[in-house]
Amino acid sequence: MLRMRVPALLVLLFCFRGSAGPSPHFLQQPEDLVVLLGEEARLPCALGAYWGLVQWTKSGLALGGQRDLPGWSRYWISGNAANGQHDLHIRPVELEDEASYECQATQAGLRSRPAQLHVLVPPEAPQVLGGPSVSLVAGVPANLTCRSRGHARPTPELLWFRDGVLLDGTTFHQTLLKEGTPGSVESTLTLTPFSHDDGATFVCRARSQALPAGRDTAITLSLQYPPEVTLSASPHTVQEGEKVIFLCQATAQPPVTGYRWAKGGSPVLGARGPRLEVVAEASFLTEPVSCEVSNAVGSANRSTALDVLFGPILQAKPEHVSVDVGEDASFSCAWRGNPLPRVTWTRRGGAQVLGSGATLRLPSVGPEDAGDYVCRAEPGLSGLGGGAAEARLTVNAPPVVTALHSAPAFLRGPARLQCLVFASPAPDAVVWSWDEGFLEAGSQGRFLVETFPAPESRGGLGPGLISVLHISGTQESDFSRSFNCSARNRLGEGGAQASLGRRDLLPTVRIVAGVAAATTTLLMVITGVALCCWRHSKASASFSEQKNLMRIPGSSDGSSSRGPEEEETGSREDRGPIVHTDHSDLVLEEEGTLETKDPTNGYYKVRGVSVSLSLGEAPGGGLFLPPPSPLGPPGTPTFYDFNPHLGMVPPCRLYRARAGYLTTPHPRAFTSYIKPTSFGPPDLAPGTPPFPYAAFPTPSHPRLQTHV
């Protein structure tokens, strides 16, 4: 037992003896390292108090204990081994060198911490699809695609630059390509180019940790874009009626193909090319002129409105307003003009300005506010335009009743009382009342009520009514009582009193008596003049030497007579006054013919005969007689010279000759006859004229006999 313990003690003694000096330890251990592909990697390792074997492992695989590491042509160990320096070198680094490396002191049983070697692969230059010149259409959204291919480690980041300025990252996105290559990536830039982007340079840059500066690929945009239009007017501010020239300028790729002009959206017929000349009017202020320019890619439109100066034009008339008394009222009107016209409000017939602007407000109106209000705009700088528009304010209030003047009336005679009613709204009823009764319409005893529309309305008080109270057979009490005319609507009641005036009868009797006396005097004068003329006519007819001519216009058997043309051949100056005989049995029909009872008691069949005495003085001193009857002998003179037989001309010319009258020397030639029971044709001897008394062989016949 003792023998076995002695060797153990010796070993322990040896161990304690050895630990008394420094033990092996790492002065420097390798750390993770990142190195670019193709460059040199160096992993440091330093040991202290160790002079034994040192080796490196790669992912657990021993590389060997020799300094040149046979079998690993790109690997070697450097440093002063006596000083414990054992650094691992790799050059050039390849992708397969990426692993975990350890430095080990085999005899001391020491191992360093693992050091990871990362091999970085720089990205290749990216590729932009469609480059180096990409053709796009302005205004149309488009995508620019950039791709980076290869074994770049880590995966590169693709960035976009325009004219050297980094674009916002939100405008593009990046995706890994499914090609089995970890470093392949793609980036898409979305943009909507415009004409000013033509010729712009875009750069796609691929960068990573392996190549922080990155690698760039540039492209240039070549744009096709629709026309860019600039529209101008000269002059831009004009008076209405002046000339204006519009100029439409455009840049486009490809070139412009056409122009189209419009005003207010409606084409301007006949307008071609980039220039348009017009005459300014008010509508150009609200209806702009537009110019549309086209090319193969598209078209562009620009418009401008002229600053046309013109006078006020009424756009919206004020409307009539009806409000209850005490409420607010407002009117509005709209005027258009450039510059804006000054609008004022007044009452019709008044000069006081009640307000200005497009709206007039009247608070808490009363009946006195009713009437017509005027919205007036002053003329513009050119002096043209302007004017006024009216609207009526109707104030709904209790009726306004006015008693009208009535004529005085006689006792027990008719009378009439009137009242005038204005009301808005219209009155429900108009009532007349007195002591013992009232009446709204119709009749009641001696009273009758009628209502009529008034011929005119009072502004703002609504339509008018005239109510009339008729009284038949007035009594004493009617002149002493008062009559009340009242009207009522939903807002209240109004009334007025009327009284009946009395007229005295005495002045009227005097007037009537005076008129009767004057009438009697006038009748006496007229009678005296008529008697005077009648006496002269009778005296002139008493001369037996006068010869008269009888003319019968026609007989019942249809004998011909002179036409009206022959009867009118004599002038009025050639005809003397005619005295008509007083035959009550001669009747004048409506057709102008004369119907008569037979004055010859049936001896002659006579139709349409009347008698007149011609007393006119013909030219040359003769006595004018009517034209001879066609029944008389030809050549019978139309007048006779009575101067040898008649020394005077009758002074009285009250009557004129009429066609169809028999001319006789006495006004009552047919006075004595016997009326037969029947009429028939006369029995005449051959050669006897039908009317033998019509010839008058001598002018000395004192009287024409009409009986047999």
Side-chain angles (χ1 to χ4, degrees):
M1 186 70 178
L2 184 61
R3 290 181 178 179
M4 296 178 59
R5 292 180 177 177
V6 172
L9 291 174
L10 292 174
V11 172
L12 290 173
L13 181 62
F14 178 80
C15 291
F16 283 112
R17 182 183 178 185
S19 61
S23 61
H25 59 276
F26 282 101
L27 298 176
Q28 184 180 11
Q29 297 186 50
E31 296 180 355
D32 294 342
L33 178 64
V34 177
V35 65
L36 292 178
L37 179 68
E39 294 184 357
E40 179 180 347
R42 173 180 174 273
L43 296 173
C45 179
L47 293 168
Y50 180 76
W51 296 270
L53 179 64
V54 177
Q55 67 174 0
W56 285 86
T57 62
K58 176 184 178 181
S59 300
L61 177 62
L63 298 180
Q66 298 181 14
R67 307 291 287 184
D68 56 353
L69 299 177
W72 303 88
S73 58
R74 297 179 294 105
Y75 289 63
W76 75 91
I77 297 174
S78 66
N80 187 348
N83 296 331
Q85 193 71 35
H86 306 278
D87 298 338
L88 176 63
H89 292 260
I90 306 172
R91 189 181 60 184
V93 176
E94 296 181 359
L95 291 177
E96 61 185 22
D97 297 331
E98 190 172 76
S100 177
Y101 293 86
E102 291 182 3
C103 178
Q104 299 178 356
T106 306
Q107 295 173 348
L110 297 177
R111 299 177 61 180
S112 68
R113 60 174 175 267
Q116 186 67 37
L117 177 63
H118 297 280
V119 179
L120 302 182
V121 179
E124 298 179 359
Q127 177 186 7
V128 179
L129 301 183
S133 178
V134 179
S135 179
L136 300 178
V137 177
V140 178
N143 294 329
L144 296 178
T145 302
C146 177
R147 290 177 180 174
S148 176
R149 299 179 181 274
H151 300 276
R153 293 185 181 183
T155 302
E157 178 186 15
L158 299 180
L159 302 177
W160 288 94
F161 294 83
R162 174 181 173 174
D163 298 331
V165 179
L166 177 65
L167 298 180
D168 187 359
T170 60
T171 61
F172 60 89
H173 67 279
Q174 182 171 299
T175 57
L176 291 174
L177 297 178
K178 298 180 180 179
E179 298 179 353
T181 303
S184 298
V185 68
E186 177 181 282
S187 178
T188 302
L189 172 65
T190 302
L191 76 161
T192 301
F194 294 97
S195 58
H196 60 268
D197 295 326
D198 186 32
T201 300
F202 285 80
V203 173
C204 177
R205 176 177 295 173
R207 74 176 183 180
S208 68
Q209 184 182 359
L211 189 61
R215 291 180 176 174
D216 297 342
T217 299
I219 58 100
T220 302
L221 294 185
S222 176
L223 292 184
Q224 292 185 341
Y225 52 92
E228 287 192 345
V229 181
T230 301
L231 180 60
S232 61
S234 178
H236 186 266
T237 301
V238 293
Q239 289 281 351
E240 189 174 17
E242 295 182 354
K243 289 185 178 181
V244 180
I245 297 176
F246 291 90
L247 186 60
C248 185
Q249 297 175 321
T251 58
Q253 180 64 35
V256 172
T257 57
Y259 294 86
R260 180 176 175 269
W261 291 90
K263 174 179 175 288
S266 299
V268 179
L269 300 180
R272 297 290 186 271
R275 189 174 183 273
L276 175 65
E277 183 175 337
V278 298
V279 176
E281 57 180 86
S283 61
F284 282 92
L285 186 65
T286 56
E287 297 179 5
V289 173
S290 60
C291 173
E292 183 180 38
V293 185
S294 305
N295 68 353
V297 176
S299 61
N301 189 302
R302 290 292 179 274
S303 61
T304 183
L306 291 178
D307 185 17
V308 182
L309 304 178
F310 60 94
I313 300 174
L314 181 63
Q315 285 187 305
K317 296 181 179 179
E319 297 182 354
H320 299 313
V321 177
S322 176
V323 298
D324 291 348
V325 63
E327 295 182 351
D328 297 342
S330 64
F331 294 95
S332 297
C333 70
W335 294 84
R336 183 169 64 95
N338 188 28
L340 291 176
R342 180 176 179 268
V343 179
T344 58
W345 292 88
T346 59
R347 291 193 68 167
R348 186 171 67 175
Q352 181 181 1
V353 176
L354 304 177
S356 60
T359 303
L360 173 66
R361 290 181 173 85
L362 302 174
S364 186
V365 298
E368 67 278 2
D369 297 317
D372 296 325
Y373 289 81
V374 181
C375 173
R376 180 174 287 102
E378 300 299 330
L381 298 177
S382 62
L384 302 176
E390 295 184 1
R392 172 163 295 180
L393 172 62
T394 301
V395 179
N396 300 325
V400 177
V401 183
T402 305
L404 300 179
H405 173 74
S406 299
F410 294 110
L411 180 64
R412 289 182 292 277
R416 184 176 66 176
L417 297 174
Q418 302 179 87
C419 69
L420 179 61
V421 180
F422 287 102
S424 176
D428 301 327
V430 179
V431 180
W432 285 92
S433 60
W434 54 95
D435 296 341
E436 68 273 11
F438 65 91
L439 186 59
E440 177 180 345
S443 61
Q444 176 182 326
R446 299 181 298 113
F447 301 95
L448 171 67
V449 172
E450 294 180 311
T451 303
F452 308 96
E456 294 182 359
S457 62
R458 187 176 300 173
L461 294 180
L465 297 175
I466 296 178
S467 183
V468 183
L469 174 64
H470 298 274
I471 306 174
S472 62
T474 58
Q475 300 176 359
E476 287 289 347
S477 60
D478 295 335
F479 299 101
S480 59
R481 63 164 56 115
S482 294
F483 294 86
N484 185 56
C485 176
S486 61
R488 180 182 64 257
N489 63 9
R490 64 178 176 83
L491 296 175
E493 184 175 357
Q497 287 187 347
S499 59
L500 184 62
R502 185 166 181 173
R503 177 181 296 179
D504 191 3
L505 186 60
L506 183 60
T508 304
V509 173
R510 291 178 178 177
I511 293 174
V512 172
V515 172
T519 303
T520 303
T521 303
L522 180 62
L523 289 175
M524 293 177 64
V525 173
I526 294 175
T527 302
V529 175
L531 289 175
C532 177
C533 293
W534 179 77
R535 285 182 178 180
H536 282 290
S537 299
K538 185 175 180 180
S540 60
S542 64
F543 292 96
S544 60
E545 63 270 20
Q546 290 182 346
K547 182 178 180 180
N548 207 344
L549 175 64
M550 176 181 294
R551 182 172 61 87
I552 302 176
S555 62
S556 61
D557 58 357
S559 301
S560 63
S561 64
R562 288 197 344 175
E565 294 81 8
E566 296 178 357
E567 293 176 0
E568 295 297 327
T569 54
S571 65
R572 293 186 180 268
E573 289 75 15
D574 296 337
R575 298 183 181 181
I578 304 299
V579 178
H580 293 269
T581 60
D582 185 13
H583 285 284
S584 62
D585 55 347
L586 299 180
V587 181
L588 181 62
E589 295 181 349
E590 293 180 0
E591 292 82 356
T593 62
L594 295 175
E595 288 292 340
T596 181
K597 297 178 183 180
D598 187 6
T600 63
N601 201 19
Y603 184 83
Y604 296 105
K605 191 173 183 180
V606 179
R607 180 180 181 274
V609 179
S610 65
V611 180
S612 63
L613 178 64
S614 175
L615 300 178
E617 182 178 1
L623 184 65
F624 175 79
L625 297 176
S629 170
L631 300 178
T636 303
T638 59
F639 65 91
Y640 298 89
D641 187 5
F642 286 98
N643 285 336
H645 310 284
L646 186 62
M648 61 175 292
V649 177
C652 188
R653 301 188 179 190
L654 298 180
Y655 301 93
R656 299 290 296 173
R658 291 179 59 187
Y661 279 68
L662 294 175
T663 304
T664 178
H666 198 276
R668 298 187 60 85
F670 304 110
T671 59
S672 221
Y673 65 88
I674 301 175
K675 184 177 181 179
T677 59
S678 62
F679 294 91
D683 296 330
L684 301 177
T688 303
F691 301 96
Y693 54 83
F696 296 109
T698 62
S700 61
H701 287 174
R703 190 176 182 88
L704 176 64
Q705 301 295 330
T706 61
H707 61 275
V708 293

